[in-house]
Amino acid sequence: MSSSAKALDPAFQGVGQRPGTEIWRIENFQPVPLPKSDHGKFYMGDSYIVLQTTTGKGGAYLYDIHFWIGKDTSQDEAGTAAIKTVELDAVLGGRAVQHRELQGHESDKFLSYFKPCIIPLEGGVATGFKKVEEEAFEIRLYVCRGKRVVRLKQVPFARSSLNHDDVFILDTEKKIYQFNGANSNIQERGKALEVIQFLKEKYHEGTCDVAIVDDGKLDTESDSGEFWVLFGGFAPIGKKVANEDDIIPETTPAKLYSITDGEVKIVEGELSKGLLENNKCYLLDCGAEIFVWVGRLTQVEERKAASQAAEEFVASQNRPKTTRLTRLIQGYETRSFKTNFDSWPAGSAAPGAEEGRGKVAALLKQQGVGLKGMTKSAPVNEEVPPLLEGGGKMEVWCINGSSKTPLPKEDVGKFYSGDCYIILYTYHSGDRKEDYLLCCWFGNDSSEEDQKMAARLANTMSNSLKGRPVQGRIFQGKEPPQFVALFQPIVILKGGLSSGYKKSIAEKGLSDETYTADSVALFRISGTSVHNDKAVQVDAVATSLNSAECFLLQSGSSIFTWHGNQSTFEQQQLAAKIAEFLKPGVALKHAKEGTESSAFWFALGGKQSYTSKKFSPETVRDPHLFTFSFNKGKFQVEEVYNFSQDDLLTEDILILDTHAEVFVWVGQYVDPKEKQNVFDIGQKYIEMAVSLDGLSPNVPLYKVTEGNEPSFFTTYFSWDLTKATVQGNSFQKKAALLFGLGHHVVEERSNGNQGGPTQRASALAALSSAFNPSSGKSSLLVQRVKSRRNNTESFCFSCLILCIQFIPGIENYCFEAIWNRSGITEKSSCCCSFISSYC
């Protein structure tokens, strides 16, 4: 039997039939399914295969396969996991994205399946499992890193493991402590609280106490004192020492290699999609991540060889353990892969489920493997999206030069394609105070000057409303459902009334086609409900007609309604409504397709052939959430996988792309300067997504601020109003939600508290002030120390020790200066909270 015809493992039969997670452990070089109760348990001596199945909006299944390698697993077992991953992909139609996961260096996507974290366990199949829950409780110390997904690592239970830069969790039998390093990240502190809640429920039956200990604060009668007693008493902690796990691989310019018979060779020439041949395998080396790209026409054995070659390539290069290795199939490339190319032409569509089935069916049939999991896509019924509450106040202005002119009530809903408009809708959402939708609408023929003026005036209006409105920029032809539903009806007219439009057509030598009540005009009526009902003026010729729709023909004082044979009753009703809107009280002349009068055809310039093709709605895609950064001036994004409301961190700006719309969400604790650039950020994202994902350049763009999220944004999350109303930074919010902890347990520091030079400079300035007799700060220090002493609160040397660590050379006079200025004789006292706020 040839190598390509070897039987695939029966353990994979019937997989991927429903959304969710399936896991296999490698036992005696064979994959053995894990029961659901063991999901999330990963033993260090084993290797695992994890299949994540999700349902795309079109109904087809999407697959990600991860093979996880414990740090103590054998090389043979790790190799088996890699090979079995390729076989599992073949069962799924050869269209899964494959990921290598090394213990302690797992990808964000992998960790997102097991929130809040995974805690690798000692042991394995070969050496026997160590059942933690059956042993005497052992105190464990963990370092907790990550803002959205957590990488939890157990470290030796010793003071030397602590540092000022990280967040630590000390898990004891009766109490779980969180130690916040002075320079630790606010968001990591918040995620650590989620881990504590997980530990509390999993290992303490939800009954143990929780304590927060802040670096630099010590009260011998508090949780802080208990914490340090466990470490043998308080003493200074050292600086963070970098190790191999902390090495972050550098992203380098991508290099493309071909893989033939397991041999890796550089591909010369400028990097482009055209270099990738569909009957070959390639390796794309980006430094921090290495991709294996396999063409659709490659065989299973070729794909196995390519994966093995990539493993050997990484080993030969002595890359850091954090280097990611991802394998993808032609047509299912990830964004992180495509961003290495200047552009990614759409070309032919990605192969669908049926094509994938056909290409592997014959091979798998002779290997005795079924394709039960590869079901056909289910038809998708149209859903009415969340709309804004009705009954609100609608105000519309047309841009005219440097000013805006309010539209009379009877003209609200009429939009000229040569003009720009500002729309302000004020409404009440539930029990909340007034909410606002503030949009700019740009006609296809409007001038760039008018568009900029509309954006500028809208921004001024938003500022006058304290930045609360949801701001949107909407282009003609891309009106979203919640916008359309506000106007009953909405009509797009040719031409324009603004001075900018008149000037533009004069400069271009074009004729003025602006709609008037007396002109010959033809309107296409489309839509099935209030969220997509719309009338658009089209060229008044017979070729504009379509049997699948209704049309309205205005000719002088007459108005005809034309019903295509395939049009719906709703379209016919809308046509009558539009006629009444344009000419109130007019008598309609009905013309059903095939019964038109000569007057009807005369107004259209004569009878001609026309289409009966129905317009296909745009493909609905899954939403994606991104963070962004600028690397050497280049705009980059990173996806937040399996996102939830908890990922909307108040210190951040995030981008939500639904393909139909793009939202830029702005947290309350974001720097005010960054808030001013929100639309620029959104536009940079759109420009990138246009070239990589085929996003429309005119997709609606919104700015949404924390606390003012509209229903058409929250619908993409399992929204919890309680979470949305909690105030404070990320740590304070999480403390209040999980444990009901008040702000008194939370160190009040700068937003995000990234630590470092700013703190040290502040500490030096504060101490210098204490040495200066004329300093107001010195007087305040003395008052605070005496005040706290009178309140009989305990004090310590810890903050001064911290200052000494931060400020070289200060140790010779720091203690005496502070106490001499304070007038206190006992050197066992200091104003810890006051000084440590600078440290």
Side-chain angles (χ1 to χ4, degrees), residues 736-813:
L737 287 167
L738 291 181
F739 306 108
L741 301 179
H743 293 340
H744 66 279
V745 302
V746 180
E747 179 107 17
E748 294 288 356
R749 290 194 177 131
S750 61
N751 299 344
N753 190 14
Q754 306 304 316
T758 303
Q759 285 184 314
R760 299 172 192 178
S762 298
L764 182 58
L767 293 171
S768 297
S769 296
F771 308 146
N772 184 353
S774 62
S775 169
K777 180 79 76 171
S778 170
S779 175
L780 176 60
L781 174 62
V782 172
Q783 292 173 14
R784 289 289 298 276
V785 173
K786 289 181 176 179
S787 171
R788 289 181 60 84
R789 190 59 178 167
N790 291 338
N791 290 334
T792 67
E793 294 184 35
S794 56
F795 302 91
C796 68
F797 290 109
S798 63
C799 60
L800 294 181
I801 293 171
L802 194 58
C803 288
I804 291 171
Q805 292 174 330
F806 279 163
I807 311 168
I810 201 171
E811 63 272 11
N812 296 324
Y813 51 85

Side-chain angles (χ1 to χ4, degrees), residues 14 83 93 125 128 265 269 271 322 330 365 396 399 510 536 606 613 618:
I83 292 172
V125 172
K265 292 182 178 180
L271 190 61
T322 46
Q330 180 183 3
K365 185 176 181 180
V396 183
I399 300 302
L510 302 175
V536 179
K613 183 179 180 181
E618 290 190 13

Side-chain angles (χ1 to χ4, degrees), residues 383-447:
E383 297 180 3
V384 177
L387 305 176
L388 298 180
E389 286 75 1
K393 179 183 178 183
M394 173 67 75
E395 299 172 89
V396 183
W397 296 266
C398 180
I399 300 302
N400 198 9
S402 59
S403 62
K404 61 183 193 297
T405 303
L407 290 189
K409 186 176 180 179
E410 61 271 17
D411 285 341
V412 171
K414 296 177 183 177
F415 293 88
Y416 286 86
S417 62
D419 293 340
C420 294
Y421 297 82
I422 296 176
I423 301 95
L424 176 62
Y425 182 65
T426 307
Y427 63 102
H428 289 272
S429 177
D431 296 331
R432 291 191 344 191
K433 54 183 180 286
E434 288 184 329
D435 285 316
Y436 307 93
L437 176 64
L438 178 62
C439 290
C440 295
W441 184 90
F442 302 142
N444 288 342
D445 300 321
S446 62
S447 66

Side-chain angles (χ1 to χ4, degrees), residues 58 70 75 263 471 546 714 727:
Q75 188 63 40
E263 187 176 353
Q471 279 187 264
N546 188 326
T714 60
Q727 298 299 308

Side-chain angles (χ1 to χ4, degrees), residues 25-28 43 45-46 72-74 77 123-129:
R25 181 170 54 225
I26 302 300
E27 300 181 11
N28 297 321
Y43 286 88
D46 290 333
D72 299 326
T73 192
S74 69
E77 281 197 351
V125 172
T127 59
F129 298 108

Side-chain angles (χ1 to χ4, degrees), residues 145-165:
R145 294 171 181 154
K147 294 164 57 175
R148 289 186 172 82
V149 293
V150 176
R151 287 171 175 81
L152 196 69
K153 179 183 178 183
Q154 186 174 350
V155 294
F157 172 38
R159 183 189 295 110
S160 58
S161 294
L162 302 175
N163 63 62
H164 301 296
D165 299 313

Side-chain angles (χ1 to χ4, degrees), residues 12 33 48 100 214 241 270 338 376 391 410 418 504 585 591 612 642 649 707 725 790 837:
F12 296 143
Y48 296 78
R100 183 188 67 164
D214 287 314
V241 178
E270 186 176 346
K338 292 188 285 188
K376 294 183 178 181
E410 61 271 17
S504 176
S612 60
N642 297 307
L649 301 179
T725 54
N790 291 338
S837 67

Side-chain angles (χ1 to χ4, degrees), residues 523-527 534-536 549-552 571 574-575 578:
F523 298 88
R524 184 180 71 245
I525 312 298
S526 60
K534 188 166 59 173
V536 179
E549 296 178 312
C550 286
F551 287 80
L552 200 67
Q571 290 172 333
L574 181 58
I578 298 295

